[in-house]
Amino acid sequence: MALLLAALLAGAAPGSSHAIGITGQTGATGHPTVGSGWGALGRPSASGAGLAGATGAGSAKPTVVLVHGAFADSSGWSQSISQLTGDGFSVLAVANPLRGLTADSDYVRSVLQTIAGPIVLVGHSYGGAVITNAARGVPNVRALVYVGAFVPDTGESIASAADPSRFPGSLLGPSTTIVRPVTNPAAAGGQDVDIYIALDAFRRVFAGDVSAERAGVMARTQRPLTATANFEPSGEPAWRTVPSWDLITTADNAIPPAAQQFMAERAGAHISTVASAHDVMVSHPAAVTKIVEQAARAVS
């Protein structure tokens, strides 16, 4: 690792960057030109090819960027990734930190800013709140796609966007979750709690369409959401200026379908439905692929 870092800092020999997965444009000398590839350690340029092959630069089709939500990770998109890449799309699944809505959105935006060409930005569950904010100020995001997701307006948190007094039916709550104290730089005072779905409730709340065995694995590998992320208010929503699509999960025990419908209609989204539990990207990947490709065709 020390040798790798030294090589990066020194501007490794011509061609050696390709051996470690860092590519960029070259000038007449054969050395990387200024502003391409890694301009400084840890700071890929917007035009660099550090994400080449995942970004779709120069492709006729937009790059699809997938953002998972709480209690999940990027592996949940696996089947849709295979389908989308098989259909000729470049795809990148971003690891959503799940620490705070502003911090998470800023992180996703920093990834988007490294991608050349048009982007279709997809969010599941809490990831919908993240893409609502992350796309703000990124002009090449041409479409937002929400799948079983929160679509908040200004000032709403995910806790308030689906107000249980107005939209009852969610099984996600104190009786089905556990919390663990955690330090969190995104939280006021740096202290927070991580929220997990309890193992014995996970399938009922999140993954009702898969086997008990598979739901058990998903429950044991879930990534928690902080209380800060749960209650932090959203900023000005990108869906006011970016066209949106919304796949509503009608058998969802985490975000009530009526709440999803309300948020989708408010955003002026192109709405589709699927009889799915909350884990739609796992249990109904073809439905996810279909709406993503509909959005991509519409903005291409």
Side-chain angles (χ1 to χ4, degrees):
M1 178 61 72
L3 291 174
L4 174 58
L5 293 176
L8 286 170
L9 289 169
S16 64
S17 60
H18 295 271
I20 56 174
I22 301 171
T23 63
Q25 297 174 343
T26 57
T29 63
H31 291 280
T33 56
V34 174
S36 67
W38 288 72
L41 183 62
R43 299 185 64 184
S45 71
S47 62
L51 291 175
T55 62
S59 171
K61 293 184 177 181
T63 296
V64 177
V65 178
L66 305 166
V67 181
H68 67 81
F71 319 120
D73 63 24
S74 289
S75 68
W77 300 107
S78 296
Q79 294 180 77
S80 284
I81 290 172
S82 294
Q83 293 166 357
L84 288 164
T85 55
D87 289 341
F89 288 90
S90 294
V91 183
L92 178 64
V94 179
N96 188 354
L98 308 178
R99 300 295 86 188
L101 183 55
T102 298
D104 296 342
S105 301
D106 288 348
Y107 172 73
V108 171
R109 187 182 302 109
S110 74
V111 175
L112 298 175
Q113 289 170 338
T114 69
I115 298 174
I119 297 169
V120 172
L121 184 57
V122 185
H124 171 248
S125 191
Y126 166 72
V130 172
I131 70 170
T132 294
N133 289 270
R136 196 170 53 242
V138 186
N140 53 322
V141 174
R142 302 294 171 79
L144 301 170
V145 180
Y146 297 92
V147 291
F150 291 100
V151 189
D153 203 347
T154 306
E156 290 180 341
S157 67
I158 64 168
S160 65
D163 181 358
S165 65
R166 185 176 180 186
F167 303 110
S170 175
L171 300 182
L172 189 62
S175 66
T176 57
T177 55
I178 60 173
V179 297
R180 295 188 172 100
V182 65
T183 58
N184 179 13
Q191 296 299 311
D192 211 335
V193 294
D194 270 341
I195 305 168
Y196 296 80
I197 300 177
L199 293 180
D200 61 358
F202 190 90
R203 189 184 186 202
R204 182 162 35 102
V205 173
F206 193 93
D209 293 341
V210 301
S211 68
E213 180 181 9
R214 187 170 188 186
V217 172
M218 292 167 64
R220 288 168 174 82
T221 57
Q222 66 179 290
R223 292 185 55 215
L225 183 74
T226 65
T228 293
N230 195 56
F231 294 108
E232 187 175 354
S234 180
E236 179 71 13
W239 49 256
R240 291 200 191 283
T241 56
V242 180
S244 62
W245 282 254
D246 199 311
L247 180 63
I248 294 172
T249 42
T250 62
D252 199 316
N253 288 330
I255 307 176
Q260 294 183 46
Q261 184 79 28
F262 168 77
M263 291 184 284
E265 290 178 353
R266 179 179 63 183
H270 304 272
I271 297 172
S272 300
T273 62
V274 59
S276 175
H278 192 59
D279 67 333
V280 58
M281 68 288 195
V282 174
S283 57
H284 294 83
V288 173
T289 302
K290 181 178 179 180
I291 196 168
V292 170
E293 294 192 355
Q294 286 175 347
R297 286 193 298 270
V299 300
S300 293

